[in-house]
Amino acid sequence: MKYMLMIYSNPASQQYIAEHMDEIMGEVDALMKELTESGELVGGQALAEVATSRTVRVRDGVPAITDGPFLEAKEHLAGYLIVECDSLERATEIAVRWPDARLCAMEVRPIIDEVEG
């Protein structure tokens, strides 16, 4: 089963990461190496600064485009990993070990497989 591990951030966690970049990246690199070697890593990316995002809504056929995230919130989606592993528990174990889980939050969600027709 594939799972998306969504990485959330906030100003405090971003500040901490900036001040401890070598330590945090060491943890991330070690975990990424482990997941690559185990074959569980499917992919992932960090996202650009939330201020560069746009929200698009179409109502009655009319697009409304606003700068910024969907909701005004202290936390925002900062990146994601996609892992393929045996269970939700294993995906959760991976998320627990990701530094952002200590600093802000991680969300683990199963990916629905698309059926090819």
Side-chain angles (χ1 to χ4, degrees), residues 46-52 76-78:
L47 299 176
E49 187 64 35
V50 71
T52 64
H76 62 271
L77 185 62

Side-chain angles (χ1 to χ4, degrees), residues 1-6 31 34-35 40 81-102 105-110:
M1 180 88 185
K2 290 181 184 170
Y3 298 89
M4 180 175 275
L5 282 55
M6 291 170 272
L31 187 50
E34 176 187 323
L35 296 174
E40 293 173 300
L81 291 174
I82 296 177
V83 296
E84 188 165 3
C85 49
D86 293 332
S87 66
L88 178 60
E89 288 73 22
R90 172 61 180 147
T92 302
E93 176 186 301
I94 295 166
V96 164
R97 294 176 57 204
W98 198 263
D100 295 86
R102 291 190 316 271
M106 297 282 291
E107 180 179 346
V108 178
R109 191 179 304 180

